Amino acid sequence: MDGLVCIITGANSLSGIGRATAFAFAKKKARAIYVTDINGDHLVPLAEEITSTTGVECIPKCMDAAADKDIQNVIADALGTFGRLDVFFANAGVAGRHPMATETSEAFLNMMRVNAWSVYAAIKYASVAMEKTSTEKTKSGGSIIATASVVAGVRSGAGPMSYSASKAAVINICQSAAWRLHGKNIRVNAICRGLIKTEMTKKVLEAVSSNELLVNLMKRNSALERYGEPDEIASIVAYLASREASFITGQDIKVDGGLTAALPYCPLFADE
Ligand SMILES: NC(=O)c1ccc[n+]([C@@H]2O[C@H](COP(=O)([O-])OP(=O)(O)OC[C@H]3O[C@@H](n4cnc5c(N)ncnc54)[C@H](O)[C@@H]3O)[C@@H](O)[C@H]2O)c1
């Protein structure tokens, strides 16, 4: 990722994928990384830690990942300061409880706004910036990665219906955008993750851990019989962001420990 200027949304959470990805980008020696989030309490220490431990310039910014003006501002900052934008990781997202019986159109649409519009808007504005050339960046190019989900998006069941719908939208937005941007050397991919231990899933995973039946059931969520760690997603995002992934676009890449490779696994049917 030598020379690449990157923006990450949803990087404030201490156990989140955004934060882990900032470290993964730094490890690959990106030129600069904007770490952004609507909550800013951990962003400054994160940026300081990255810069002091890796020497990579890291800039903290508080912003709403679904607000057009905020997205335009951080992109303008990257262009103004570094003259280029190469990578946008549209990762910010929300879940929460939305039972169907009490779901309102406002709550549903807000889920779509934060989880799906944030991705659409990132593509809309970042792609224009990624086309900009200079003596340092001689041709249009970039990589946009968005966080979708296998457990809610490819399939359903983890989280409310509005959450699944928003993540399914993310997958299709990425597929569509890869072609809308044809010929511009701008790649767009969705990462579809299985269950990963982060702030978002903490309460559910804690509740599960005290119930043996549920523990065994949840083990079936992965052929590896465990949950994923944020680092295991971050390294794939960094790969997709890097030049090594130069022929990958329009894909929904499943990082789920094998979850989607089989129907619910039954040893009897599997001839064991
Ligand atoms: N953890 C999982 O198992 C899992 C599975 C599939 C998909 N995801 C998705 O992964 C992404 C990252 O989630 P995580 O697991 O790291 O959770 P997390 O809660 O640890 O981090 C999400 C971050 O997004 C930020 N955020 C929320 N709304 C925002 C907004 N409007 N603008 C800017 N930032 C905002 C939060 O403040 C938080 O720091 C999300 O899009 C989530 O839906 C998570």
Side-chain angles (χ1 to χ4, degrees):
M1 293 181 71
D2 192 28
L4 304 186
V5 174
C6 317
I7 295 171
I8 300 174
T9 67
N12 187 62
S13 167
L14 286 177
S15 57
I17 273 89
R19 180 185 171 92
T21 303
F23 281 101
F25 285 2
K27 199 171 154 193
K28 277 190 172 290
K29 294 288 169 210
R31 163 79 181 85
I33 307 164
Y34 284 82
V35 285
T36 77
D37 202 289
I38 201 160
N39 301 308
D41 40 343
H42 303 302
L43 291 180
V44 172
L46 167 64
E48 284 171 358
E49 188 180 338
I50 286 187
T51 303
S52 67
T53 56
T54 66
V56 171
E57 198 162 339
C58 191
I59 305 111
K61 280 231 180 293
C62 237
M63 62 172 255
D64 180 350
D68 293 48
K69 267 271 151 283
D70 287 6
I71 303 168
Q72 288 170 299
N73 283 343
V74 68
I75 291 173
D77 195 308
L79 287 180
T81 311
F82 302 100
R84 61 191 291 163
L85 177 67
D86 306 283
V87 175
F88 200 115
F89 180 32
N91 166 69
V94 286
R97 286 188 54 75
H98 290 239
M100 185 159 68
T102 54
E103 182 73 313
T104 61
S105 66
E106 286 80 10
F108 180 92
L109 291 175
N110 190 53
M111 184 80 84
M112 295 302 282
R113 187 188 84 85
V114 177
N115 291 356
W117 174 251
S118 62
V119 172
Y120 194 116
I123 295 168
K124 176 179 172 180
Y125 298 117
S127 60
V128 175
M130 287 171 178
E131 277 187 70
K132 293 214 183 312
T133 56
S134 63
T135 44
E136 223 189 83
K137 181 175 175 174
T138 53
K139 61 173 188 153
S140 161
S143 174
I144 301 167
I145 304 118
T147 308
S149 167
V150 296
V151 286
V154 176
R155 303 270 190 275
S156 63
M161 279 163 64
S162 49
Y163 181 73
S164 280
S166 69
K167 293 300 184 181
V170 167
I171 294 169
N172 200 274
I173 288 168
C174 290
Q175 291 168 337
S176 303
W179 275 96
R180 288 291 187 286
L181 298 170
H182 64 90
K184 296 179 191 294
N185 190 35
I186 299 171
R187 299 178 291 108
V188 189
N189 292 290
I191 283 274
C192 302
R193 311 148 30 163
L195 269 184
I196 312 296
K197 275 194 278 184
T198 68
E199 207 51 42
M200 189 176 271
T201 49
K202 198 173 163 183
K203 278 197 190 128
V204 178
L205 299 185
E206 273 169 11
V208 164
S209 67
S210 57
N211 181 322
E212 202 184 328
L213 188 73
L214 283 179
V215 168
N216 286 328
L217 200 67
M218 292 299 272
K219 270 189 175 177
R220 301 283 180 209
N221 256 311
S222 145
L224 303 173
E225 299 198 339
R226 63 177 176 83
Y227 309 120
E229 298 291 338
D231 287 351
E232 293 176 304
I233 303 301
S235 55
I236 304 294
V237 178
Y239 169 70
L240 288 173
S242 77
R243 296 182 183 91
E244 289 168 306
S246 51
F247 204 50
I248 304 178
T249 193
Q251 301 304 307
D252 48 315
I253 293 162
K254 300 176 186 72
V255 189
D256 66 355
L259 171 66
T260 43
L263 295 167
Y265 181 71
C266 172
L268 274 180
F269 292 142
D271 198 22
E272 278 182 7

